[in-house]
Amino acid sequence: MPTLTAKKSKRPPVRASGRAAPALIFGDLWEFDPAPETADPKLKARYELFIDGQFVAPASGNYFDTVNPATEQKIAEMALGGAADVDAAYRAADKAQKTVWGKLPGRERAKYLYRIARLLQDRAREFAIAETMDNGKPIKETRDFDVPMAAAHFFYHAGWADKLEYIAPGRRVAPLGVVGQVIPWNFPLLMMAWKIAPAIAMGNCVVIKPATNTPLNAIKLAEIFQDAGLPPGVVNVITGPGSTGGLIMAHPTAAKIAFTGSTEVGKVILRSVAGSDKKMTMELGGKAANIVFDDAPLDQAVEGIVNGIFFNQGQVCCAGSRLLVQESVAERVVAKLKNRLRALRVGNPLDKNTDVGAIVSRGQLDSIRSYLDIGVKEGAELWQPPCRLPAKGFYMPPTIFTGVSQSHRIAREEIFGPVLAIIPFRTVEEAIEKANNTPYGLSAGVWTDKGSRILKMSTELKAGVVWANTFNQFDPTSPFGGYKESGFGREGGRQGLLDYCKLV
Ligand code: TAP
């Protein structure tokens, strides 16, 4: 593990807690110190649960280790929450919602969300490093994307909190009550923000569980809730295994559940709550088509293909994991792509020049490797650029498969790793047919010079998000969500807020 040395803070006001007070002005979301990997992530040896505004030991007294996938070294011990902790969290959330949070005017709730956003900005370097250590993603991504985007979600929803009547003109908007939320490991901090910000802006209270692989920033975010003076019980964070997630989802106090994760677990949860009157949002898996037509600016498209599948090591629900490329330019695109992949730097995620970091866990690495075997056995041709991987840690070189057909498992199943399946097509109709030939429907990309073709494709592609001449663009104002087995409900924007309220 690299040596982490504390840097002198440029911000003078420091509180009793030892942390800088929030800046008073709306700062530049994208303004960061140029060398975050040298900052101190201020990690503790052990983290507790966050219930009713306090950090408390789990009822069982048990803890689990969170491990740095880039080094295989233990980072810290995390509390293993179980049934008694989930019950305590729901009791605290219910009380807070009924007695304090649900009664506060929106303009007062907004102040807390603004404060949380500013505190997160103030501790951005620390959170970026902790996220990279816990997840393995490159520091340039956590520094420039995950952390600023998480702050942006709190800012955005703070802005809505006193204007909620405008999300449904003519109707009265009311909170649902207590919301149970479970999130995955691929964007640990950002998923916390996606889930918590709209829920509490609307006046709901929250019980949330992060993934076992990446619990660190979830509980560090709870430190920010405490520093922001968020009333006890408004947000409760329970670290622990999938079974604890099941308890959160099925708890009778939850008026709504919001789950982000695999389609497989999503189906288990849906079965467990079938027949209840809980409102639900399910953000599940994907197998997106990134479609390149022969009139596209090819160099730009190649950058979009690389970003689409190798961002966050391809561990992205909306990753462009299927490249559909028009036959007339397929050879040129593949040659350009191979050239580009030779220049990617795979390795230490804390190095700010790294493009492809570590895979989140040994289990996930094994699962990706098994798909490489499957692809080769199915007759596809595997190619990886030459690269030296670190001796320790869970690494996978960027991988492409050519000679892939629609029926191959590598073209149908979510691999959730840096693996691209390349499939040629001849006509627009064939591209649409192939793109939609999947049980998923989360996202798609279209690369073409023709505006009319973009409009046709975005109408006919069965995907919640269609990017044109770009990929992986996100914004808190823009709703995100899927069709078919990619789930239902939307997160972000006005639509996301509608999923956290009742209209009376
Ligand atoms: P999952 O294995 O489904 O885990 C997601 C979360 O559910 C984790 O916190 C997990 O806890 C918990 N969990 C496991 N079993 C559960 C159960 N029976 N009841 C309730 N909760 C349970 O997914 P993952 O491997 O973390 O993440 C990758 C998947 O998430 C991919 O399929 C990806 O496409 C999807 N994803 C979707 C989106 C959107 S917006 N559609 C965004 C990101 C990721 P443990 O970690 O303790 O097992």
Side-chain angles (χ1 to χ4, degrees):
M1 202 164 66
T3 318
L4 300 165
T5 47
K7 286 185 95 185
K8 235 182 180 177
S9 169
K10 288 184 206 148
R11 296 180 191 271
V14 174
R15 301 164 127 199
S17 63
R19 295 191 195 103
L24 292 174
I25 50 160
F26 187 105
D28 181 353
L29 286 175
W30 311 99
E31 192 181 287
F32 286 95
D33 191 287
E37 71 273 25
T38 59
D40 180 358
K42 300 192 180 87
L43 300 181
K44 296 176 186 155
R46 173 179 275 195
Y47 289 89
E48 308 292 359
L49 306 172
F50 185 64
I51 299 175
D52 207 11
Q54 300 298 320
F55 290 97
V56 294
S60 67
N62 293 331
Y63 292 80
F64 64 98
D65 292 347
T66 189
V67 171
N68 183 338
T71 61
E72 302 180 46
Q73 285 175 349
K74 171 176 164 179
I75 301 173
E77 280 176 14
M78 312 297 305
L80 197 147
D85 308 301
V86 170
D87 280 342
Y90 269 105
R91 271 196 306 277
D94 195 40
K95 183 165 160 232
Q97 208 282 327
K98 286 181 176 141
T99 61
V100 183
W101 197 246
K103 295 194 161 156
L104 271 188
R107 64 176 182 281
E108 294 301 319
R109 293 198 300 271
K111 289 178 189 168
Y112 291 98
L113 277 99
Y114 277 125
R115 220 175 280 160
I116 292 164
R118 289 191 205 114
L119 282 165
L120 189 52
Q121 283 185 315
D122 278 354
R123 294 174 63 183
R125 285 177 297 164
E126 176 196 334
F127 271 78
I129 291 170
E131 192 81 331
T132 285
M133 289 174 70
D134 210 22
N135 171 280
K137 58 174 77 187
I139 189 75
K140 69 180 177 193
E141 290 181 13
T142 54
R143 179 196 63 192
D144 298 344
F145 178 75
D146 298 70
V147 180
M149 195 55 93
H153 271 267
F154 282 103
F155 276 123
Y156 173 74
H157 288 96
W160 266 117
D162 63 350
K163 305 170 193 70
L164 293 169
E165 67 268 29
Y166 296 106
I167 68 168
R171 307 286 299 275
R172 197 166 71 77
V173 174
L176 294 165
V178 181
V179 179
Q181 304 174 326
V182 172
I183 57 170
W185 45 256
N186 58 343
F187 293 95
L189 179 67
L190 186 56
M191 288 295 125
M192 289 287 283
W194 272 35
K195 289 275 179 288
I196 295 169
I200 66 173
M202 184 57 74
N204 302 292
C205 290
V206 165
V207 177
I208 188 165
K209 186 193 96 66
T212 312
N213 283 328
T214 54
L216 193 56
N217 266 345
I219 208 71
K220 280 171 69 67
L221 189 62
E223 295 172 0
I224 284 186
F225 297 148
Q226 207 178 42
D227 273 10
L230 193 68
V234 175
V235 179
N236 304 272
V237 182
I238 305 288
T239 48
S243 53
T244 301
L247 297 171
I248 292 175
M249 297 282 92
H251 202 278
T253 310
K256 177 195 165 108
I257 54 170
F259 172 75
T260 299
S262 60
T263 297
E264 193 188 345
V265 172
K267 286 179 182 175
V268 171
I269 292 170
L270 286 175
R271 281 195 288 272
S272 77
V273 298
S276 76
D277 64 350
K278 292 182 196 314
K279 203 166 172 166
M280 289 176 234
T281 300
M282 290 276 148
E283 299 281 8
L284 309 175
K287 189 76 183 176
N290 203 357
I291 308 165
V292 179
F293 287 96
D294 58 6
D295 63 340
L298 293 188
D299 289 326
Q300 200 183 318
V302 166
E303 287 309 309
I305 296 163
V306 170
N307 171 274
I309 184 62
F310 301 117
F311 172 60
N312 197 14
Q313 294 70 245
Q315 301 165 128
V316 182
C317 50
C318 52
S321 51
R322 288 184 295 151
L323 171 62
L324 301 189
V325 56
Q326 200 153 19
E327 212 169 68
S328 47
V329 290
E331 253 179 51
R332 271 170 65 205
V333 169
V334 171
K336 280 174 183 286
L337 184 59
K338 287 182 175 174
N339 233 3
R340 182 69 183 84
L341 296 190
R342 285 189 188 97
L344 289 185
R345 295 175 67 140
V346 186
N348 178 7
L350 279 173
D351 180 336
K352 59 180 181 268
N353 295 313
T354 291
D355 299 302
V356 179
I359 300 298
V360 74
S361 65
R362 180 169 300 283
Q364 185 62 16
L365 181 63
D366 289 345
S367 161
I368 298 167
R369 282 182 176 153
S370 76
Y371 275 103
L372 301 196
D373 293 341
I374 290 168
V376 171
K377 277 196 195 119
E378 284 176 323
E381 193 178 319
L382 179 149
W383 184 89
Q384 293 173 328
C387 55
R388 260 220 319 266
L389 303 180
K392 274 240 162 224
F394 313 130
Y395 292 93
M396 164 67 64
T399 304
I400 63 176
F401 273 110
T402 48
V404 180
S405 83
Q406 283 287 99
S407 59
H408 285 170
R409 282 181 65 192
I410 54 168
R412 304 191 62 76
E413 296 174 19
E414 188 182 39
I415 300 174
F416 224 57
V419 182
L420 179 67
I422 304 178
I423 304 169
F425 70 87
R426 285 192 183 151
T427 62
V428 174
E429 286 65 32
E430 188 185 345
I432 293 168
E433 197 278 317
K434 284 184 163 168
N436 286 339
N437 185 0
T438 164
Y440 297 110
L442 193 55
S443 66
V446 180
W447 298 83
T448 175
D449 202 30
K450 292 191 182 64
S452 58
R453 188 175 282 166
I454 290 172
L455 291 176
K456 179 179 170 64
M457 297 297 288
S458 51
T459 311
E460 302 213 8
L461 290 171
K462 301 277 178 296
V465 182
V466 179
W467 287 293
N469 294 326
T470 187
F471 209 90
N472 274 341
Q473 296 295 325
F474 304 94
D475 193 287
T477 62
S478 174
F480 187 89
Y483 292 106
K484 302 194 278 183
E485 294 200 9
S486 289
F488 51 84
R490 293 292 178 265
E491 293 191 315
R494 180 181 148 266
Q495 286 85 346
L497 280 160
L498 281 167
D499 279 341
Y500 277 103
C501 71
K502 56 184 169 213
L503 303 176
V504 285

Short mmCIF file of all heavy atoms in Angstrom, two decimals, residues 167-222:
data_model
loop_
_atom_site.label_atom_id
_atom_site.label_comp_id
_atom_site.label_asym_id
_atom_site.label_seq_id
_atom_site.Cartn_x
_atom_site.Cartn_y
_atom_site.Cartn_z
N ILE A 167 -43.45 19.39 -8.52
CA ILE A 167 -43.22 18.11 -9.21
C ILE A 167 -44.54 17.49 -9.67
O ILE A 167 -44.54 16.63 -10.54
CB ILE A 167 -42.41 17.08 -8.37
CG1 ILE A 167 -43.19 16.57 -7.16
CG2 ILE A 167 -41.06 17.63 -7.94
CD1 ILE A 167 -42.53 15.37 -6.51
N ALA A 168 -45.66 17.92 -9.07
CA ALA A 168 -46.96 17.39 -9.50
C ALA A 168 -47.99 18.52 -9.37
O ALA A 168 -48.75 18.54 -8.41
CB ALA A 168 -47.36 16.19 -8.65
N PRO A 169 -48.01 19.45 -10.33
CA PRO A 169 -48.88 20.61 -10.23
C PRO A 169 -50.35 20.22 -9.99
O PRO A 169 -50.85 19.27 -10.59
CB PRO A 169 -48.71 21.30 -11.58
CG PRO A 169 -47.38 20.84 -12.07
CD PRO A 169 -47.20 19.45 -11.55
N GLY A 170 -50.97 20.92 -9.04
CA GLY A 170 -52.38 20.66 -8.75
C GLY A 170 -52.59 19.57 -7.71
O GLY A 170 -53.71 19.32 -7.30
N ARG A 171 -51.53 18.88 -7.32
CA ARG A 171 -51.67 17.82 -6.31
C ARG A 171 -50.86 18.21 -5.08
O ARG A 171 -49.90 18.98 -5.17
CB ARG A 171 -51.11 16.49 -6.84
CG ARG A 171 -51.68 16.05 -8.17
CD ARG A 171 -53.10 15.53 -8.05
NE ARG A 171 -53.23 14.37 -7.19
CZ ARG A 171 -53.04 13.11 -7.61
NH1 ARG A 171 -52.70 12.88 -8.86
NH2 ARG A 171 -53.21 12.09 -6.78
N ARG A 172 -51.25 17.67 -3.91
CA ARG A 172 -50.42 17.87 -2.71
C ARG A 172 -49.45 16.71 -2.60
O ARG A 172 -49.83 15.55 -2.77
CB ARG A 172 -51.29 17.97 -1.45
CG ARG A 172 -50.54 18.58 -0.27
CD ARG A 172 -51.49 18.97 0.84
NE ARG A 172 -52.05 17.80 1.53
CZ ARG A 172 -51.39 17.07 2.43
NH1 ARG A 172 -50.14 17.38 2.74
NH2 ARG A 172 -51.97 16.02 3.02
N VAL A 173 -48.20 17.06 -2.35
CA VAL A 173 -47.14 16.06 -2.32
C VAL A 173 -46.80 15.76 -0.87
O VAL A 173 -46.56 16.67 -0.08
CB VAL A 173 -45.90 16.63 -3.04
CG1 VAL A 173 -44.71 15.68 -2.91
CG2 VAL A 173 -46.21 16.88 -4.51
N ALA A 174 -46.79 14.47 -0.49
CA ALA A 174 -46.48 14.11 0.90
C ALA A 174 -45.44 13.00 0.93
O ALA A 174 -45.39 12.16 0.03
CB ALA A 174 -47.76 13.64 1.60
N PRO A 175 -44.59 13.00 1.98
CA PRO A 175 -43.60 11.91 2.08
C PRO A 175 -44.30 10.58 2.31
O PRO A 175 -45.45 10.52 2.75
CB PRO A 175 -42.75 12.30 3.29
CG PRO A 175 -43.54 13.30 4.04
CD PRO A 175 -44.49 13.96 3.08
N LEU A 176 -43.56 9.49 2.05
CA LEU A 176 -44.12 8.15 2.22
C LEU A 176 -43.98 7.65 3.64
O LEU A 176 -44.79 6.88 4.13
CB LEU A 176 -43.40 7.17 1.28
CG LEU A 176 -43.62 7.41 -0.22
CD1 LEU A 176 -42.58 6.65 -1.04
CD2 LEU A 176 -45.02 6.98 -0.62
N GLY A 177 -42.89 8.05 4.33
CA GLY A 177 -42.60 7.56 5.68
C GLY A 177 -41.16 7.11 5.76
O GLY A 177 -40.24 7.88 5.46
N VAL A 178 -40.95 5.83 6.07
CA VAL A 178 -39.58 5.29 6.15
C VAL A 178 -39.28 4.47 4.90
O VAL A 178 -40.13 3.70 4.44
CB VAL A 178 -39.40 4.42 7.41
CG1 VAL A 178 -37.96 3.90 7.48
CG2 VAL A 178 -39.72 5.23 8.66
N VAL A 179 -38.09 4.66 4.39
CA VAL A 179 -37.67 4.01 3.16
C VAL A 179 -36.51 3.07 3.46
O VAL A 179 -35.54 3.46 4.11
CB VAL A 179 -37.22 5.07 2.13
CG1 VAL A 179 -36.75 4.41 0.86
CG2 VAL A 179 -38.34 6.05 1.85
N GLY A 180 -36.60 1.82 3.00
CA GLY A 180 -35.49 0.86 3.13
C GLY A 180 -34.72 0.81 1.82
O GLY A 180 -35.32 0.70 0.75
N GLN A 181 -33.39 0.90 1.90
CA GLN A 181 -32.59 0.96 0.68
C GLN A 181 -31.38 0.01 0.77
O GLN A 181 -30.76 -0.10 1.82
CB GLN A 181 -32.09 2.41 0.46
CG GLN A 181 -33.24 3.41 0.40
CD GLN A 181 -32.77 4.85 0.32
OE1 GLN A 181 -31.76 5.19 0.91
NE2 GLN A 181 -33.50 5.68 -0.38
N VAL A 182 -31.07 -0.63 -0.34
CA VAL A 182 -29.90 -1.53 -0.41
C VAL A 182 -29.14 -1.19 -1.69
O VAL A 182 -29.75 -1.04 -2.75
CB VAL A 182 -30.34 -3.01 -0.40
CG1 VAL A 182 -29.15 -3.93 -0.67
CG2 VAL A 182 -30.97 -3.37 0.95
N ILE A 183 -27.82 -1.06 -1.58
CA ILE A 183 -27.04 -0.61 -2.74
C ILE A 183 -25.87 -1.57 -3.04
O ILE A 183 -25.45 -2.32 -2.18
CB ILE A 183 -26.51 0.83 -2.53
CG1 ILE A 183 -25.67 0.93 -1.25
CG2 ILE A 183 -27.65 1.82 -2.52
CD1 ILE A 183 -24.92 2.23 -1.11
N PRO A 184 -25.34 -1.50 -4.28
CA PRO A 184 -24.26 -2.40 -4.69
C PRO A 184 -22.88 -1.78 -4.44
O PRO A 184 -22.78 -0.69 -3.87
CB PRO A 184 -24.52 -2.55 -6.18
CG PRO A 184 -25.03 -1.21 -6.59
CD PRO A 184 -25.80 -0.66 -5.42
N TRP A 185 -21.84 -2.47 -4.94
CA TRP A 185 -20.47 -2.05 -4.64
C TRP A 185 -19.80 -1.25 -5.75
O TRP A 185 -18.67 -0.83 -5.61
CB TRP A 185 -19.59 -3.27 -4.32
CG TRP A 185 -19.77 -4.44 -5.26
CD1 TRP A 185 -20.46 -5.59 -4.99
CD2 TRP A 185 -19.28 -4.58 -6.60
NE1 TRP A 185 -20.43 -6.43 -6.09
CE2 TRP A 185 -19.71 -5.83 -7.09
CE3 TRP A 185 -18.52 -3.76 -7.45
CZ2 TRP A 185 -19.41 -6.29 -8.37
CZ3 TRP A 185 -18.22 -4.21 -8.73
CH2 TRP A 185 -18.67 -5.47 -9.18
N ASN A 186 -20.48 -1.06 -6.87
CA ASN A 186 -19.73 -0.47 -7.99
C ASN A 186 -19.58 1.05 -7.92
O ASN A 186 -18.59 1.59 -8.42
CB ASN A 186 -20.31 -0.91 -9.34
CG ASN A 186 -21.75 -0.55 -9.51
OD1 ASN A 186 -22.45 -0.25 -8.53
ND2 ASN A 186 -22.23 -0.58 -10.73
N PHE A 187 -20.55 1.74 -7.31
CA PHE A 187 -20.41 3.18 -7.04
C PHE A 187 -20.85 3.42 -5.60
O PHE A 187 -21.93 3.98 -5.35
CB PHE A 187 -21.27 4.01 -8.01
CG PHE A 187 -20.82 3.92 -9.44
CD1 PHE A 187 -21.39 3.01 -10.32
CD2 PHE A 187 -19.80 4.74 -9.91
CE1 PHE A 187 -20.95 2.90 -11.63
CE2 PHE A 187 -19.35 4.64 -11.22
CZ PHE A 187 -19.93 3.72 -12.08
N PRO A 188 -20.06 2.99 -4.63
CA PRO A 188 -20.56 2.95 -3.24
C PRO A 188 -21.03 4.30 -2.72
O PRO A 188 -22.14 4.40 -2.18
CB PRO A 188 -19.34 2.45 -2.46
CG PRO A 188 -18.44 1.81 -3.47
CD PRO A 188 -18.69 2.48 -4.77
N LEU A 189 -20.24 5.33 -2.88
CA LEU A 189 -20.63 6.64 -2.34
C LEU A 189 -21.74 7.27 -3.19
O LEU A 189 -22.72 7.80 -2.67
CB LEU A 189 -19.41 7.59 -2.30
CG LEU A 189 -19.71 8.98 -1.78
CD1 LEU A 189 -20.09 8.96 -0.30
CD2 LEU A 189 -18.51 9.91 -2.00
N LEU A 190 -21.59 7.19 -4.49
CA LEU A 190 -22.57 7.81 -5.37
C LEU A 190 -23.95 7.17 -5.20
O LEU A 190 -24.98 7.86 -5.21
CB LEU A 190 -22.09 7.69 -6.83
CG LEU A 190 -22.95 8.42 -7.86
CD1 LEU A 190 -23.10 9.90 -7.53
CD2 LEU A 190 -22.35 8.26 -9.26
N MET A 191 -23.99 5.85 -5.02
CA MET A 191 -25.28 5.18 -4.80
C MET A 191 -25.92 5.63 -3.48
O MET A 191 -27.13 5.72 -3.38
CB MET A 191 -25.11 3.66 -4.82
CG MET A 191 -24.84 3.08 -6.18
SD MET A 191 -26.22 3.30 -7.31
CE MET A 191 -25.40 4.12 -8.66
N MET A 192 -25.08 5.89 -2.46
CA MET A 192 -25.62 6.43 -1.21
C MET A 192 -26.34 7.76 -1.51
O MET A 192 -27.45 8.00 -1.05
CB MET A 192 -24.50 6.70 -0.20
CG MET A 192 -23.86 5.47 0.41
SD MET A 192 -24.91 4.62 1.62
CE MET A 192 -24.77 5.67 3.06
N ALA A 193 -25.67 8.62 -2.29
CA ALA A 193 -26.24 9.93 -2.60
C ALA A 193 -27.50 9.79 -3.46
O ALA A 193 -28.51 10.46 -3.21
CB ALA A 193 -25.19 10.80 -3.30
N TRP A 194 -27.45 8.92 -4.47
CA TRP A 194 -28.62 8.71 -5.34
C TRP A 194 -29.83 8.30 -4.52
O TRP A 194 -30.95 8.70 -4.81
CB TRP A 194 -28.34 7.57 -6.33
CG TRP A 194 -27.70 7.96 -7.61
CD1 TRP A 194 -26.76 8.94 -7.79
CD2 TRP A 194 -27.91 7.37 -8.91
NE1 TRP A 194 -26.38 8.98 -9.11
CE2 TRP A 194 -27.06 8.03 -9.82
CE3 TRP A 194 -28.71 6.34 -9.37
CZ2 TRP A 194 -27.01 7.70 -11.17
CZ3 TRP A 194 -28.66 6.01 -10.71
CH2 TRP A 194 -27.82 6.68 -11.61
N LYS A 195 -29.58 7.46 -3.51
CA LYS A 195 -30.70 6.92 -2.74
C LYS A 195 -31.16 7.90 -1.66
O LYS A 195 -32.36 8.15 -1.49
CB LYS A 195 -30.27 5.61 -2.06
CG LYS A 195 -30.08 4.45 -3.01
CD LYS A 195 -31.38 3.74 -3.29
CE LYS A 195 -31.25 2.59 -4.25
NZ LYS A 195 -31.00 2.94 -5.65
N ILE A 196 -30.19 8.44 -0.90
CA ILE A 196 -30.57 9.20 0.30
C ILE A 196 -31.08 10.60 -0.05
O ILE A 196 -32.08 11.07 0.52
CB ILE A 196 -29.37 9.29 1.28
CG1 ILE A 196 -29.03 7.89 1.80
CG2 ILE A 196 -29.66 10.24 2.43
CD1 ILE A 196 -27.71 7.81 2.57
N ALA A 197 -30.41 11.29 -0.98
CA ALA A 197 -30.75 12.70 -1.22
C ALA A 197 -32.22 12.92 -1.61
O ALA A 197 -32.91 13.73 -0.98
CB ALA A 197 -29.80 13.30 -2.26
N PRO A 198 -32.76 12.19 -2.61
CA PRO A 198 -34.17 12.44 -2.94
C PRO A 198 -35.11 12.01 -1.81
O PRO A 198 -36.14 12.65 -1.56
CB PRO A 198 -34.41 11.59 -4.20
CG PRO A 198 -33.32 10.59 -4.22
CD PRO A 198 -32.15 11.20 -3.51
N ALA A 199 -34.74 10.91 -1.12
CA ALA A 199 -35.63 10.40 -0.06
C ALA A 199 -35.79 11.44 1.05
O ALA A 199 -36.92 11.74 1.48
CB ALA A 199 -35.07 9.09 0.50
N ILE A 200 -34.68 11.99 1.52
CA ILE A 200 -34.79 12.92 2.67
C ILE A 200 -35.23 14.31 2.22
O ILE A 200 -35.87 15.03 2.99
CB ILE A 200 -33.51 12.95 3.54
CG1 ILE A 200 -32.30 13.52 2.81
CG2 ILE A 200 -33.21 11.57 4.11
CD1 ILE A 200 -31.06 13.72 3.72
N ALA A 201 -34.92 14.69 0.99
CA ALA A 201 -35.42 15.99 0.49
C ALA A 201 -36.94 15.99 0.55
O ALA A 201 -37.58 17.00 0.86
CB ALA A 201 -34.94 16.23 -0.94
N MET A 202 -37.53 14.82 0.29
CA MET A 202 -38.99 14.69 0.26
C MET A 202 -39.60 14.58 1.65
O MET A 202 -40.81 14.66 1.81
CB MET A 202 -39.31 13.44 -0.60
CG MET A 202 -40.74 13.17 -0.85
SD MET A 202 -41.61 14.51 -1.65
CE MET A 202 -41.00 14.42 -3.32
N GLY A 203 -38.77 14.38 2.68
CA GLY A 203 -39.31 14.29 4.05
C GLY A 203 -39.40 12.87 4.57
O GLY A 203 -39.98 12.63 5.63
N ASN A 204 -38.84 11.92 3.82
CA ASN A 204 -38.81 10.54 4.31
C ASN A 204 -37.58 10.33 5.20
O ASN A 204 -36.62 11.11 5.14
CB ASN A 204 -38.67 9.56 3.13
CG ASN A 204 -39.80 9.71 2.13
OD1 ASN A 204 -40.94 9.38 2.43
ND2 ASN A 204 -39.49 10.24 0.96
N CYS A 205 -37.57 9.26 5.97
CA CYS A 205 -36.36 8.85 6.70
C CYS A 205 -35.89 7.51 6.14
O CYS A 205 -36.67 6.80 5.49
CB CYS A 205 -36.63 8.78 8.20
SG CYS A 205 -36.87 10.45 8.87
N VAL A 206 -34.63 7.17 6.40
CA VAL A 206 -33.98 6.11 5.64
C VAL A 206 -33.28 5.08 6.52
O VAL A 206 -32.66 5.44 7.52
CB VAL A 206 -32.93 6.78 4.70
CG1 VAL A 206 -31.96 5.76 4.14
CG2 VAL A 206 -33.60 7.55 3.58
N VAL A 207 -33.39 3.80 6.11
CA VAL A 207 -32.52 2.74 6.63
C VAL A 207 -31.82 2.16 5.40
O VAL A 207 -32.48 1.70 4.47
CB VAL A 207 -33.32 1.63 7.34
CG1 VAL A 207 -32.38 0.51 7.80
CG2 VAL A 207 -34.10 2.19 8.52
N ILE A 208 -30.48 2.23 5.38
CA ILE A 208 -29.76 1.84 4.16
C ILE A 208 -28.62 0.89 4.47
O ILE A 208 -27.96 1.00 5.51
CB ILE A 208 -29.24 3.10 3.40
CG1 ILE A 208 -28.66 2.72 2.03
CG2 ILE A 208 -28.23 3.90 4.22
CD1 ILE A 208 -28.47 3.92 1.10
N LYS A 209 -28.40 -0.06 3.53
CA LYS A 209 -27.28 -1.00 3.66
C LYS A 209 -26.38 -0.91 2.42
O LYS A 209 -26.85 -1.10 1.29
CB LYS A 209 -27.78 -2.44 3.79
CG LYS A 209 -26.64 -3.41 4.07
CD LYS A 209 -27.04 -4.87 3.88
CE LYS A 209 -26.68 -5.42 2.54
NZ LYS A 209 -25.25 -5.55 2.25
N PRO A 210 -25.07 -0.68 2.63
CA PRO A 210 -24.13 -0.76 1.50
C PRO A 210 -23.73 -2.21 1.25
O PRO A 210 -24.05 -3.10 2.05
CB PRO A 210 -22.93 0.04 2.00
CG PRO A 210 -22.95 -0.15 3.48
CD PRO A 210 -24.40 -0.29 3.88
N ALA A 211 -23.00 -2.47 0.17
CA ALA A 211 -22.54 -3.82 -0.14
C ALA A 211 -21.42 -4.23 0.83
O ALA A 211 -20.67 -3.39 1.31
CB ALA A 211 -22.03 -3.88 -1.58
N THR A 212 -21.31 -5.52 1.06
CA THR A 212 -20.27 -6.03 1.96
C THR A 212 -18.87 -5.68 1.45
O THR A 212 -17.97 -5.42 2.24
CB THR A 212 -20.36 -7.58 2.05
OG1 THR A 212 -21.71 -7.92 2.29
CG2 THR A 212 -19.51 -8.13 3.17
N ASN A 213 -18.71 -5.67 0.13
CA ASN A 213 -17.39 -5.37 -0.43
C ASN A 213 -16.96 -3.93 -0.21
O ASN A 213 -15.75 -3.64 -0.20
CB ASN A 213 -17.40 -5.60 -1.95
CG ASN A 213 -17.33 -7.07 -2.31
OD1 ASN A 213 -16.72 -7.84 -1.59
ND2 ASN A 213 -17.95 -7.44 -3.41
N THR A 214 -17.90 -3.01 -0.10
CA THR A 214 -17.54 -1.58 -0.08
C THR A 214 -18.36 -0.79 0.95
O THR A 214 -19.12 0.11 0.58
CB THR A 214 -17.79 -0.96 -1.48
OG1 THR A 214 -19.15 -1.25 -1.83
CG2 THR A 214 -16.84 -1.47 -2.53
N PRO A 215 -18.18 -1.07 2.23
CA PRO A 215 -19.00 -0.37 3.22
C PRO A 215 -18.37 0.94 3.74
O PRO A 215 -19.02 1.69 4.46
CB PRO A 215 -19.06 -1.39 4.37
CG PRO A 215 -17.76 -2.15 4.24
CD PRO A 215 -17.36 -2.14 2.81
N LEU A 216 -17.11 1.20 3.34
CA LEU A 216 -16.33 2.23 4.03
C LEU A 216 -16.92 3.64 3.91
O LEU A 216 -17.17 4.32 4.90
CB LEU A 216 -14.89 2.20 3.47
CG LEU A 216 -13.84 2.96 4.23
CD1 LEU A 216 -13.76 2.51 5.68
CD2 LEU A 216 -12.47 2.78 3.55
N ASN A 217 -17.16 4.09 2.68
CA ASN A 217 -17.63 5.46 2.53
C ASN A 217 -19.09 5.63 2.95
O ASN A 217 -19.52 6.75 3.23
CB ASN A 217 -17.43 5.94 1.09
CG ASN A 217 -16.11 6.69 0.94
OD1 ASN A 217 -15.51 7.09 1.95
ND2 ASN A 217 -15.67 6.90 -0.28
N ALA A 218 -19.83 4.53 3.02
CA ALA A 218 -21.21 4.64 3.51
C ALA A 218 -21.18 5.09 4.97
O ALA A 218 -21.93 5.98 5.38
CB ALA A 218 -21.92 3.30 3.38
N ILE A 219 -20.29 4.49 5.73
CA ILE A 219 -20.26 4.82 7.16
C ILE A 219 -19.50 6.12 7.39
O ILE A 219 -19.79 6.87 8.32
CB ILE A 219 -19.71 3.62 8.00
CG1 ILE A 219 -20.28 3.64 9.41
CG2 ILE A 219 -18.23 3.51 7.99
CD1 ILE A 219 -21.74 3.30 9.50
N LYS A 220 -18.55 6.43 6.50
CA LYS A 220 -17.88 7.74 6.60
C LYS A 220 -18.88 8.87 6.25
O LYS A 220 -18.80 9.96 6.80
CB LYS A 220 -16.66 7.79 5.68
CG LYS A 220 -15.43 7.09 6.28
CD LYS A 220 -14.30 6.95 5.29
CE LYS A 220 -13.65 8.25 4.93
NZ LYS A 220 -12.92 8.91 6.02
N LEU A 221 -19.81 8.57 5.35
CA LEU A 221 -20.82 9.57 5.03
C LEU A 221 -21.70 9.85 6.26
O LEU A 221 -22.16 10.97 6.48
CB LEU A 221 -21.67 9.11 3.84
CG LEU A 221 -22.62 10.13 3.24
CD1 LEU A 221 -21.89 11.35 2.68
CD2 LEU A 221 -23.49 9.50 2.14
N ALA A 222 -21.88 8.80 7.08
CA ALA A 222 -22.65 8.99 8.31
C ALA A 222 -21.94 9.99 9.24
O ALA A 222 -22.59 10.73 9.98
CB ALA A 222 -22.86 7.65 9.01
#
